[in-house]
Amino acid sequence: RISLSRNAGVASDAGFEIGDSAAAVVRHYGNRAAVTPHKYQSTPAKYITIWTRGHPPASSARGIVHEVGGDDRIMHIHVGGPSIQYVEGCS
């Protein structure tokens, strides 16, 4: 898993960066975007997950999670395998 945070200066393959709006991500991915509540923050915080290859629990699954904060903006981007679902980080 690779995670981007605070002023990373790196964009996702779709061009999204830290600080971009959650609505833009959902618009871009449409029904491929799975939106789930954030574990530690209240709405509008959420996770927007897109699987680009396979689905967990397959270890070959690959995807991207846009972690959205209370301001409805991307605060972290996680890319990689099934570990992108870990809310406390990788183990």
Side-chain angles (χ1 to χ4, degrees):
R1 161 173 147 168
I2 297 171
S3 294
L4 304 175
S5 300
R6 296 179 296 228
N7 304 317
V10 177
S12 71
D13 62 337
F16 294 110
E17 299 182 47
I18 304 303
D20 286 346
S21 78
V25 175
V26 172
R27 267 193 314 274
H28 177 78
Y29 288 104
N31 64 1
R32 291 180 53 210
V35 179
T36 54
H38 199 283
K39 184 171 181 177
Y40 297 113
Q41 296 186 31
S42 57
T43 304
K46 61 186 142 273
Y47 304 102
I48 304 170
T49 305
I50 299 92
W51 292 104
T52 57
R53 185 177 79 202
H55 287 87
S59 61
S60 61
R62 296 293 176 264
I64 184 167
V65 172
H66 299 84
E67 186 174 348
V68 177
D71 61 355
D72 215 24
R73 302 230 167 243
I74 299 169
M75 62 180 182
H76 304 287
I77 298 173
H78 311 289
V79 297
S83 65
I84 64 174
Q85 299 173 105
Y86 299 168
V87 295
E88 281 86 18
C90 293
S91 62

